Amino acid sequence: MKILLVEDEPKVAAFLQKGLSEQTHSVDIAADGLLGLRQALTTSYDLIILDQLLPGLSGLEVCRQVRAHNTGVPILMLTALGETDDKIRGLDAGADDYLVKPFAFQELLARIRALSRRRQEAPSQPVLRLADLTLDPMSKQVMRAGQPIQLTAREFALLHYLLRNQGRVVSRVDILEHVWETSFDTGSNVIDVYINFLRKKIDKEFSPKLIHTLVGMGYVAKVNEG
């Protein structure tokens, strides 16, 4: 796997480059946000590992600009900013995953494997439909009643998971494992926040409502009978 590591701390960058190279990955290093963005847009990578606090250009802005150029490369944010709001900002900027420093190197490798699997599986995924809602995993396009719906990368992933399991109740733990592929503090409200984001975009101006909460159980995407 060819990886771009955007990290301004030399010791961290050297440690990660050595460890990932030992796992047969090829690693390019960019020590600031501007260089990282330039490399991300001019070279083809299988994964970008991106610090959030960078000189020149923040990791959030690098992420936004990479996504604005329709680059589908997976982005893993690796940062010391670990509050729920920090994670939400990173994921909303277009990151696919978020790992907080300090971290276990084996967990980083597991996250990389998960992102690689997700990317490999994407081409075979069909268009998903529920009532007048459609989601196309290939084009990343979501439509409701013929109107395009703009979602962030994490909102898209959450809706995709709900639609793949439409009619079945999925718990918060299910969502953490399959959408975030991580273990947020069980007291975190990040899932509730994203469910609310989705409802505002998918359900607020439309009928019937498609995203439902079953108190104490989880969430389900379905058309309510009656």
Side-chain angles (χ1 to χ4, degrees):
M1 180 180 288
K2 187 173 179 61
I3 298 173
L4 172 62
L5 172 63
V6 189
E7 170 61 65
D8 65 318
E9 296 182 36
K11 289 184 179 180
V12 175
F15 166 75
L16 290 175
Q17 185 179 46
K18 181 176 184 295
L20 292 171
S21 297
E22 289 174 352
Q23 298 295 317
T24 72
H25 299 300
S26 172
V27 183
D28 292 342
I29 295 177
D32 63 67
L34 289 170
L35 180 57
L37 178 61
R38 187 179 307 120
Q39 289 183 229
L41 297 181
T42 58
T43 305
S44 178
Y45 290 100
D46 300 304
L47 173 69
I48 296 174
I49 299 176
L50 179 63
D51 193 0
Q52 193 171 135
L53 300 175
L54 293 167
L57 196 66
S58 74
L60 288 177
E61 189 56 33
V62 172
C63 192
R64 290 190 190 101
Q65 292 198 35
V66 169
R67 290 293 179 240
H69 284 78
N70 296 318
T71 302
V73 58
I75 297 176
L76 169 62
M77 278 202 167
L78 190 65
T79 175
L81 300 177
E83 297 298 321
T84 296
D85 287 347
D86 297 318
K87 297 174 183 179
I88 289 173
R89 280 190 287 269
L91 297 170
D92 277 351
D96 297 280
D97 205 351
Y98 196 108
L99 185 58
V100 178
K101 300 175 181 176
F103 58 91
F105 186 69
Q106 289 302 317
E107 181 178 2
L108 174 63
L109 293 179
R111 302 289 187 94
I112 291 172
R113 290 193 296 270
L115 288 171
S116 178
R117 287 195 303 271
R118 187 187 304 170
R119 194 179 193 197
Q120 292 170 0
E121 292 166 359
S124 63
Q125 296 173 344
V127 173
L128 299 175
R129 293 178 172 83
L130 178 61
D132 57 355
L133 173 69
T134 62
L135 179 149
D136 187 339
M138 293 294 293
S139 66
K140 305 299 183 185
Q141 185 176 53
V142 175
M143 305 280 287
R144 181 89 200 256
Q147 300 181 33
I149 306 293
Q150 300 300 319
L151 301 180
T152 66
R154 189 57 52 177
E155 290 167 356
F156 184 93
L158 176 56
L159 181 61
H160 189 197
Y161 181 68
L162 291 172
L163 290 181
R164 283 194 290 115
N165 292 278
Q166 60 184 269
R168 183 173 76 85
V169 179
V170 292
S171 69
R172 298 173 84 257
V173 173
D174 290 334
I175 293 173
L176 284 175
E177 289 180 350
H178 292 89
V179 178
W180 271 263
E181 294 177 346
T182 185
S183 54
F184 281 118
D185 182 342
T186 54
S188 168
N189 68 339
V190 68
I191 293 177
D192 308 290
V193 169
Y194 273 87
I195 288 289
N196 286 332
F197 287 163
L198 270 187
R199 283 188 170 129
K200 288 178 181 177
K201 296 181 178 183
I202 298 299
D203 276 346
K204 185 176 180 181
E205 303 296 331
F206 301 94
S207 182
K209 306 307 180 189
L210 302 178
I211 301 173
H212 307 278
T213 301
L214 278 73
V215 178
M217 299 176 65
Y219 305 94
V220 59
K222 67 175 183 176
V223 178
N224 270 350
E225 294 81 2

